[in-house]
Amino acid sequence: MNARFSTRRVAKTAVVALQGEIDLQNSPELRKELLGWLAERQNVVVDLSGVDYIDSSGIASLVEAYQTARHQGGHFSLAAVSPAALRVLKLARLDEVFIIHQTIEQALKGTGD
Amino acid sequence: MSLEFASTRDLQGTFQRGLKRVAAFIEAEAASLFLVDEETGDLVCQACVGPVDITGLRLAPGQGVVGRVVEQNVATIVKDARSDPYFGAHVDAKTGFSTRSILCAPLSVRGQRLGAIELINKTGDGLFHPGDRQLLRALGASAGLAVVNARLSKAMVEQERMARELELAAEIQRAMLPPLMPDDFPISGINHPAHEVSGDFFDFLKLPDGRIAFAIGDVSGKGFNASVLMTKTSSLFRCLAKSERRPGRLLSMINAELCETAANGGMFVTMAAGVLDPATGSVLLANAGHEPPLLHRDDSFTAFPATVPPLGINVDLVPPSMPETWIALAGGCLYLFTDGLTEARCQGKMLGDEGVRRLLAENAGLAIRDRLAAVVDWLAPPGSSPRDDLTLLVVEDRRGKPLLATRFEVTPDCLYELRHKVGAVVRAIGCNKDLVTDVVSAVDEACQNIIRHGYRGTGEIVLEIRRNGPRQLEVQLIDFAPPVDPAKIKPRCLDDVRPGGLGTHFMRTVMDEVVFMPPPMGAGNFLKMTKAIR
């Protein structure tokens, strides 16, 4: 596996940590993971500190989760974005769209948990 | 007289003059010269002097005194003709001539019986004596030489005429080979006929769109009939290639034409035809019964065997839908050759597939034309006579060696490895980390587009990355999916936040140029991306 997801729960928030390279091979799983937590009405913080590479399909999964959360009034944010991931977010001008926190702790404060 | 015999070409005149002088010298009333008819063995009178003209008289083998002399190959004096059992009195009866005595000597050279000289009736009632016989035998030997010489020289004249005609035919054939091209032209060929005319051919011609059609062929059998069929086949190729671009359909059309109009007498033509797209270094190839062309790249060879039988046998054997092979030269070159190469003898052994590969590899470092000359010189050193025609055609990718060239089945799970491969080659030429990431990301996104919008699943991709001079990196992606409309592949509007459609935007942002080119024949889509490097 070139990428790994691990999720830990902090109160009503799922902190999903991504590691490795997110691409077309594993982005469908990422999408399922994120939408799954949102369906359970959980807040979602995505920890991008371990991301070496993320492609447009990975970004698309994040966008879909972001829209779903907004639609249902939930919380969705990115945290500890690695330089590789930030570069791609900036390319897509999505750094202005997502809520991006420097650290997981700040993100958790933002969720109100 | 012997001297005249030895140098003459006008036999009849020489014989006539010679006989006259012999008859006068030996004092005979009449003289005649008979030659053996090469077809029937009959003795036919070619010249005579005396009161009766028997020129054209024909005697069966062994008939008459002349017949006996020829058979026994011994000079004879017949003192009283009438008492000789061989004497043919019917000739006298017919002509009214009265034969009394005969001196007859054979015309023979090294045991080959050619005929005889016969003298009749020594004048003044005298008898022929042994001295006369000796003299006539000597003259007979000279005359025999004259006959042999004259026949040889007649054959030589005939041969010279044939040789001139063959030379003219060879000249026409040579004129049908493509003209000499500039040094940077990507295709070059050589034809080394074993005889004056060749049963092999090669040809290539530039098409208006910049592609180059080429072909090689070998007519079964050797000699003049094969060369005539070869001339017909190559003319058909040159004519049809201007309007039919698919090599498979082209071979099918030539086959139909050969089958329809030619009484080929069991002859057939093995032929491979292709089209080179110099912009992508790709070749679309069709092979009808011909020696498998060889792709030489990265020190290894790939063969492309025939997919249908040779042309000229049966119209159904080469359908317009015959399979074609799409080949990425990727900085390498494609060799097409006739079996004159594989079947050439080297120290008594046939060169074979392995030998041909070794020979081509050994000369790979030479420029295209020197390489052809070196291979042919090795197979047929100047002064030697090859057993078969040697024909060799090289199709080169003049764009040079790529940094990376790979052909693979694209699937989502191959992308990881692909990214690392691409990253490694871009890093290896000294590009910085951001530039490496940009190129890797562009290739990755382009592959995703092909999976998602082209194949809507998996399929083959040909990827090449090369330097365009010192300051530019070029990425080429060719797929075989249904052609996509480039107008529909637009970068998305970024203000519209939605999943998907980002890939094309990424590619356009990280690369300097992303453009769909006209795909090479046989391919679906051709995407070209460039990026300035420092």
Side-chain angles (χ1 to χ4, degrees):
Chain A
M1 213 45 194
N2 315 315
R4 214 151 39 89
F5 317 138
S6 52
T7 303
R8 65 189 168 96
R9 305 285 303 280
V10 181
K12 274 182 67 68
T13 300
V15 181
V16 183
L18 310 187
Q19 276 187 317
E21 303 193 6
I22 316 297
D23 66 7
L24 191 61
Q25 187 191 7
N26 46 49
S27 58
E29 266 170 81
L30 172 62
R31 175 180 177 273
K32 230 164 74 186
E33 177 81 12
L34 299 179
L35 294 183
W37 291 116
L38 290 171
E40 290 179 26
R41 301 282 158 174
Q42 301 293 307
N43 298 319
V44 173
V45 172
V46 185
D47 175 358
L48 293 174
S49 60
V51 171
D52 303 316
Y53 177 87
I54 183 162
D55 74 350
S56 63
S57 70
I59 297 290
S61 300
L62 299 180
V63 170
E64 198 178 347
Y66 160 83
Q67 288 175 320
T68 307
R70 240 169 80 110
H71 186 73
Q72 63 191 32
H75 175 92
F76 180 86
S77 66
L78 310 181
V81 180
S82 71
L86 189 62
R87 194 161 181 271
V88 178
L89 289 173
K90 281 186 168 162
L91 269 182
R93 299 223 315 252
L94 287 167
D95 55 326
E96 300 155 19
V97 173
F98 288 116
I99 303 161
I100 298 178
H101 298 286
Q102 289 296 309
T103 63
I104 307 294
E105 289 65 38
Q106 283 171 11
L108 286 173
K109 271 183 207 155
T111 63
D113 284 334
Chain B
M1 198 157 66
S2 293
L3 205 65
E4 189 180 353
F5 277 160
S7 63
T8 187
R9 283 190 187 184
D10 168 26
L11 268 188
Q12 213 80 30
T14 308
F15 285 154
Q16 198 64 40
R17 284 191 300 277
L19 271 185
K20 210 169 170 181
R21 285 162 68 182
V22 171
F25 191 79
I26 301 183
E27 298 173 327
E29 274 179 28
S32 53
L33 185 139
F34 286 79
L35 286 185
V36 177
D37 182 325
E38 284 172 299
E39 275 171 32
T40 61
D42 287 350
L43 284 163
V44 182
C45 180
Q46 304 289 334
C48 75
V49 292
V52 178
D53 185 4
I54 55 161
T55 308
L57 178 73
R58 194 171 271 271
L59 302 171
Q63 198 192 342
V65 174
V66 184
R68 184 180 65 200
V69 166
V70 169
E71 244 168 32
Q72 296 178 349
N73 202 22
V74 177
T76 306
I77 293 173
V78 177
K79 289 180 179 162
D80 177 13
R82 262 162 251 270
S83 64
D84 191 299
Y86 278 85
F87 176 64
H90 64 281
V91 179
D92 276 6
K94 226 192 222 162
T95 59
F97 188 77
S98 169
T99 302
R100 298 186 305 276
S101 60
I102 298 172
L103 168 61
C104 189
L107 264 63
S108 75
V109 174
R110 286 185 292 277
Q112 190 191 353
R113 281 149 210 207
L114 302 164
I117 302 179
E118 190 178 45
L119 300 186
I120 308 213
N121 298 352
K122 182 109 172 173
T123 46
D125 273 352
L127 290 174
F128 293 114
H129 53 79
D132 295 338
R133 188 174 59 192
Q134 224 162 351
L135 180 65
L136 194 65
R137 195 164 51 196
L139 280 172
S142 301
L145 269 178
V147 170
V148 169
N149 281 347
R151 283 180 182 167
L152 276 177
S153 89
K154 195 175 158 204
M156 267 171 63
V157 168
E158 180 64 14
Q159 263 182 358
E160 269 172 33
R161 192 182 62 80
M162 284 291 291
R164 265 200 313 279
E165 283 185 7
L166 273 177
E167 184 47 42
L168 284 175
E171 222 174 282
I172 290 178
Q173 274 203 328
R174 279 194 296 273
M176 289 179 72
L177 293 175
L180 199 65
M181 301 305 273
D183 282 342
D184 61 348
F185 196 74
I187 301 184
S188 189
I190 194 165
N191 170 249
H192 186 82
H195 309 287
E196 284 82 358
V197 288
S198 179
D200 286 2
F201 77 94
F202 71 88
D203 199 2
F204 48 78
L205 59 142
K206 245 180 129 162
L207 303 172
D209 62 4
R211 296 172 206 202
I212 306 164
F214 60 87
I216 188 166
D218 185 354
V219 178
S220 62
K222 300 179 186 71
F224 210 76
N225 49 354
S227 77
V228 171
L229 187 57
M230 163 267 172
T231 305
K232 173 169 183 166
T233 311
S234 64
S235 309
L236 282 171
F237 167 75
R238 185 155 265 271
C239 178
L240 293 172
K242 286 172 184 158
S243 52
E244 177 53 68
R245 305 290 160 85
R246 299 289 300 218
R249 283 208 291 264
L250 185 67
L251 288 187
S252 176
M253 286 165 86
I254 294 175
N255 179 55
E257 196 64 34
L258 290 179
C259 290
E260 189 183 312
T261 58
N264 299 334
M267 285 194 295
F268 54 84
V269 185
T270 72
M271 184 168 170
V275 179
L276 167 72
D277 179 28
T280 53
S282 67
V283 165
L284 191 64
L285 183 79
N287 183 351
H290 197 77
E291 283 280 325
L294 289 174
L295 172 66
H296 188 206
R297 193 167 79 79
D298 294 340
D299 299 325
S300 76
F301 285 93
T302 313
F304 301 97
T307 54
V308 293
L311 311 181
I313 297 173
N314 182 337
V315 74
D316 302 326
L317 292 177
V318 189
S321 61
M322 73 164 282
E324 297 165 328
T325 312
W326 198 92
I327 302 165
L329 297 181
C333 60
L334 186 69
Y335 291 100
L336 300 101
F337 45 88
T338 57
D339 57 12
L341 256 78
T342 39
E343 289 171 12
R345 299 267 159 181
C346 165
Q347 290 163 353
K349 269 171 50 187
M350 229 160 68
L351 199 58
D353 289 344
E354 277 311 306
V356 168
R357 289 173 193 214
R358 212 168 39 240
L359 183 61
L360 294 175
E362 276 166 11
N363 291 291
L366 297 173
I368 187 163
R369 240 174 267 148
D370 298 339
R371 202 181 325 156
L372 293 175
V375 169
V376 168
D377 273 359
W378 192 89
L379 290 168
S384 74
S385 45
R387 299 152 54 94
D388 198 356
D389 302 333
L390 296 172
T391 304
L392 177 61
L393 187 65
V394 189
V395 180
E396 275 195 331
D397 183 0
R398 303 303 298 223
R399 302 169 309 157
K401 224 174 138 51
L403 300 169
L404 175 69
T406 170
R407 185 171 184 163
F408 56 99
E409 185 82 11
V410 69
T411 57
D413 38 326
C414 78
L415 295 176
Y416 175 80
E417 207 187 308
L418 180 69
R419 286 195 302 271
H420 286 262
K421 227 189 237 176
V422 171
V425 299
V426 180
R427 210 172 295 120
I429 57 165
C431 294
N432 66 28
K433 197 166 156 257
D434 282 354
L435 205 142
V436 172
T437 308
D438 287 348
V439 176
V440 164
S441 154
V443 170
D444 184 80
E445 297 294 347
C447 288
Q448 283 189 49
N449 274 345
I450 294 170
I451 293 174
R452 296 192 334 190
H453 308 298
Y455 289 117
R456 297 176 194 276
T458 67
E460 246 190 335
I461 286 185
V462 177
L463 166 69
E464 282 185 28
I465 301 177
R466 55 172 22 91
R467 279 182 96 137
N468 256 348
R471 291 170 188 283
Q472 196 184 54
L473 206 63
E474 182 177 312
V475 178
Q476 290 193 347
L477 275 150
I478 290 170
D479 67 56
F480 304 88
V484 297
D485 181 0
K488 286 191 183 150
I489 308 211
K490 283 187 183 145
R492 57 171 279 193
C493 170
L494 289 181
D495 296 332
D496 170 21
V497 180
R498 59 177 169 80
L502 271 174
T504 306
H505 167 71
F506 281 6
M507 285 151 60
R508 289 193 196 277
T509 311
V510 299
M511 300 298 276
D512 299 335
E513 182 192 32
V514 177
V515 53
F516 277 95
M517 307 287 289
M521 208 168 22
N525 302 282
F526 170 24
L527 180 73
K528 190 176 102 175
M529 303 188 281
T530 57
K531 175 92 182 165
I533 51 177
R534 286 167 298 277

